[in-house]
Structure formats: C-alpha cells, structure tokens
Amino acid sequence: MTSSSSSSSPRRSRRRSLTAVAAIVAAAATAVFAFTLDAPERRDAAKPDSPVVSTESATPESADESLLALARRDGGDALAVGKADAPVVMIEYSDFQCPFCGRFARETEPALLRSYVDKGVLRIEWRNFPVFGEESEQAALAGWAAGRQKKFWDFHKVAYGEPRERNQGEFSQDRLVSMAREAGVADLDRFRSDMASDEAHSAVRKDQAEGYGLGVTSTPAFLINGKPVLGAQPTATFEQVIDAAAKAARR
C-alpha cells in the first residue's frame, strides 16, 4: 500500500463519520418536528408549496441534544443578535409576510431582547423561511441585503412594524427599497445589487433547506437549545422554555 492511499483511508473514514453524524442529526430533527403534523390536515400541508401558519405549541418533554449543533454561533452573522457564546440559542424560521411572525416580532421579541438578549442569556439566530410566494422571497433577499450593511434588525423592525396584506404589493421592489431607507440602509444601490446577487439567493436557499430538512412547514417555528416551539406563543411560554434551557446549560 502506498503512503498516499494509506493517508487517504483515514480521510475517507472521517468523511463517512461526518456524513453519518449529519444524517443522524437530520433524522432526529425531522422526527421532532414531524410529530406536529399528525393530523390529516397537517399531513396534507406538509409540502413546500402548501404552507400552513401555526399558532399552537408543539414541544416534546425534553430537547433533542443533537439539534444543538444547528446553532451557528457565528460572531459575524448579521442575521443574529446576542452574544455568540450565550448559554441559550433560539433559532427562528420566519417569513416576513407571515402574520403570526409579525405578531411575535411586535409583541414577544422585544421582551425577550430586554430580559434575555441584553443580559447575555439568549442569542437569536434568524433563518429566512419564505413560504408565501414571490413577495416572501423578495423580502427575504431584502433582509439579507440589509444585513450586509449591518441593518438587518432595523429592516426587520420596519418590515414587521405593522400588519401587512400578503401578496398585495406590500413587499414589492419599490416598497422594499423604501423599507431599507427607513431602516437606515445607507447605500441603496448596493442594497439593490446585494438583493439580486447569487450570494443572497444561496443564503436564503440554505436557510430554507435547513428548515425543510427539519420538517418545518409552518411559520414561525423556533428551536430553543434544541427544543421546538411552534407559532406566536404567549411571551410566558418562551420565557418558560428559555429559563429551563438556561438552567440546564448551567449544570
């Protein structure tokens, strides 16, 4: 056996191991979210082209530890807020056209920012999960483009600032540019260019693929240290799950 073939064998073994781990994580994640689709109407809705908006919670008794690996904890992630090493990470799969996502953004998220993010307990990682058609896709691209100028969360606040009619031009190109301007995006020419870029489309597709791989079909959907919470639940529900996750992280 040559030295080259000998060294390549461990590499192949490592690749196989990593692939196996990824498959296990994906399978576990899908199982966690899939149980929320047991009802006939949800089985029919469990397709990318037929999204549903959920308002009910679906949380197992304990979190799936393998799902913790989905937290990116990238300090340079413009679509995340909070310390990269915070003990609790909440991953949020959302659509800018989703009315329940808007309700969460206006009614619950500000309280979580004050009580947990500002105190270093919680990190929120946004995942673009557009499910309501072209305007949702364009809004996702716009949010990503705003993030290139450190203005994602400002754009997020403007986009969710009030209830908006779905697929009625609220997220047209001109409206999105106006939102970016209101959010303080300085270079609007760059904003337009970034929106149309291959990198933007790739980033949105990556987030979508992650969500669909988990079995997510409704928005908003959350993973809090691996524990799923579906829908715009009352603030107290999120506080309960975050407190439990923070307590478990201290053990």
Side-chain angles (χ1 to χ4, degrees), residues 52-242:
V52 294
V53 178
S54 173
T55 59
E56 65 183 86
S57 176
T59 57
E61 289 302 311
S62 60
D64 188 322
E65 294 294 327
S66 65
L67 300 184
L68 293 171
L70 293 171
R72 296 171 186 172
R73 292 188 178 275
D74 178 359
D77 185 355
L79 276 61
V81 62
K83 294 168 55 178
D85 62 351
V88 183
V89 176
M90 181 172 76
I91 301 172
E92 174 184 355
Y93 300 89
S94 283
D95 182 321
F96 280 114
Q97 287 204 104
C98 165
F100 296 109
C101 300
R103 179 188 296 176
F104 170 80
R106 290 186 296 273
E107 299 178 5
T108 296
E109 196 166 53
L112 300 185
L113 290 170
R114 290 191 302 269
S115 299
Y116 297 101
V117 175
D118 290 348
K119 294 179 181 179
V121 175
L122 177 68
R123 173 180 175 84
I124 301 175
E125 295 187 356
W126 170 276
R127 302 287 193 268
N128 276 303
F129 198 71
V131 292
F132 292 113
E134 183 177 353
E135 287 192 43
S136 292
E137 294 277 352
Q138 289 302 306
L141 295 168
W144 184 90
R148 299 287 280 179
Q149 298 185 53
K150 311 296 184 185
K151 291 294 182 179
F152 170 78
W153 290 100
D154 300 275
F155 177 87
H156 173 281
K157 184 175 181 179
V158 172
Y160 281 139
E162 60 187 61
R164 302 180 190 274
E165 292 292 325
R166 192 160 63 229
N167 294 321
Q168 296 298 315
E170 296 274 8
F171 292 94
S172 66
Q173 179 83 11
D174 289 344
R175 291 285 186 91
L176 289 169
V177 172
S178 295
M179 289 180 194
R181 182 184 294 111
E182 184 179 347
V185 175
D187 189 338
L188 294 177
D189 287 335
R190 179 189 172 188
F191 171 79
R192 293 185 185 93
S193 176
D194 283 338
M195 264 191 73
S197 68
D198 289 341
E199 190 174 359
H201 285 82
S202 177
V204 172
R205 284 196 299 269
K206 178 181 178 181
D207 287 353
Q208 280 183 306
E210 180 179 292
Y212 284 130
L214 289 170
V216 176
T217 60
S218 61
T219 54
F222 306 87
L223 280 175
I224 301 176
N225 272 18
K227 184 170 184 175
V229 176
L230 300 185
Q233 298 298 316
T235 301
T237 299
F238 287 93
E239 291 174 340
Q240 181 180 6
V241 179
I242 293 168

